Each structure stands twice: as structure tokens, then as C-alpha cells.
Amino acid sequence: MNIFKFTNDEDFVQTGANLVASLLHSNPKAVLGLATGSSPIGVYERLVQMHRKGLVSFSKASSYNLDEYVGLPVEHPESYRSFMNKHLFDHVDIDLSRTHVPNGNAKDLEAECLAYDRMLESEGPVDLQILGIGSNGHIGFNEPDASLSSGTHVVDLLPETREANARFFPSIADVPRQAITMGVGSILKARQILLLVRGAEKAEAIRNAVKGPITTQCPASLLQSHPNVVVLLDEGAGQWLD
């Protein structure tokens, strides 16, 4: 892993955006794996700024999002499709028909998971997978467990994950109890992984992920087995690392 700690948000954001832009310059048809959450927002906003200045184009790229809530209408402001539209897709030249987010409202969720994996297999591997990390070490919505699913699957969200996401909803009762998520096996197939982590509340999780044992009880620790991972940390997230 290549780990970088930043003392100011500007450098964190610009470094992340530059990695994405450099990939699109060298490979305009790149397949991007995208994440939601607070950590990547600044990077997406910087990419929008760079696009408006003519510094980066998404016109030939395609994207696959990690996850989506089950049962949340796609037009709901907290759906991950809405998140991506708000923070990136609506402001750059990406072809929306080549942006993919799991359908959490599919009548047959198992069939939706299988179809998502087939698309990933046919168009992938993902060239650059952006990730965040949960305070319990989850990546995507792959929660700590005795074993982890390799492919896209439906997951029951743990109480701590729902509590962490409750700030985006009127109450915790409104937070969905399930999500569709890309599996750890799919994530690890990406050619390069960019892990973005911000906030002191993530310090323990990131220490366990990059310095602790590889264990399914900290799904992010499996990233240690990947040959090309870049980790960007703000001061709070990196406070427990040497």
C-alpha cells in the first residue's frame, strides 16, 4: 500500500482528483468504480471544477458504483444514484447510459446481483476503484462477518452502520435495513484502488485495515492483499499511523 497523510484538505482533494484525471488522460475509456459517502465528495467536486476548465473529460468513460440501498426510491435524495447525480454525473460529460448503480428496487434482488456481476465481468476489470471505509472497517457495504461474499449480494446493515448513516435521514427508523453491495472479490479485481479516508472517527478502522491482521472482521484489511492500493488520509484519520 502507498499511504499518504495530508495536513490540509486542499492537498487531499487535489491528489485524489489528479489520480482520476491522470487515468482518464491515459485511458479515456477507463472503467471507474465509484463510492459514495463524505470522504469522496471533495474529490468529485474538484473533478467537476477540472472538467469545467477543460482539464478532464468523462465522455468515453463508464462507471460502476459499489452499492445502493434496498427499497429506497431512486429519486430519494439519499439514494446513491441521487448522490452521484448531485456530486458528479450532472456536472460532467459522462454518458449516463454508461453509469451503473445497483437497482435496490429490483423485483428479484438475487437476479439483479447476478446481472451486475455479469456487467462487471464483461466490461471490467475496473481500472480504478474508489473506496471509503466504515468505522467498523466495512468497504462498500461488506460488513464484518465470519465470511465475506465475493460477488454482488444483498446485505443486512449492522446497527452501527445504520446509526452512522442516520445523520442523512429524518431518523434512524428511516435508514434502510438492507443494501446491495459489490462483493470484496469484485473490489479486489480492480487494477488500482484509491481509498479515501477523512475524519478522526475513522482512525481506528484505518489502522486496523492497513496495519492489522487480514481478517473478515475488518473487511478493509483484505486490501493488504492487493498489489496497487493508494490510501489518502486526512490528519484525523491518520493520527494513529506512524
Side-chain angles (χ1 to χ4, degrees), residues 18 29-30 64 72-73 89 150 195 200-201 237:
N18 285 346
K29 295 182 179 180
Y64 285 86
L72 202 64
F89 295 159
S150 176
L195 177 60
E201 71 278 7

Side-chain angles (χ1 to χ4, degrees), residues 11 39 68:
D11 291 343
S39 291
E68 178 61 283

Side-chain angles (χ1 to χ4, degrees), residues 16 19-20 128-132 192-196 230-232:
L19 281 172
V20 179
L128 176 64
Q129 176 65 63
I130 296 175
L131 295 177
Q192 184 176 32
I193 292 173
L194 172 60
L195 177 60
L196 303 169
V230 176
V231 183
L232 306 187

Side-chain angles (χ1 to χ4, degrees), residues 27-62:
N27 180 12
K29 295 182 179 180
V31 179
L32 302 174
L34 301 178
T36 55
S38 57
S39 291
I41 287 178
V43 171
Y44 293 153
E45 291 176 346
R46 182 56 50 86
L47 286 166
V48 170
Q49 295 171 8
M50 294 172 71
H51 169 70
R52 288 173 175 165
K53 294 177 181 178
L55 299 176
V56 65
S57 172
F58 295 78
S59 63
K60 297 179 181 179
S62 59

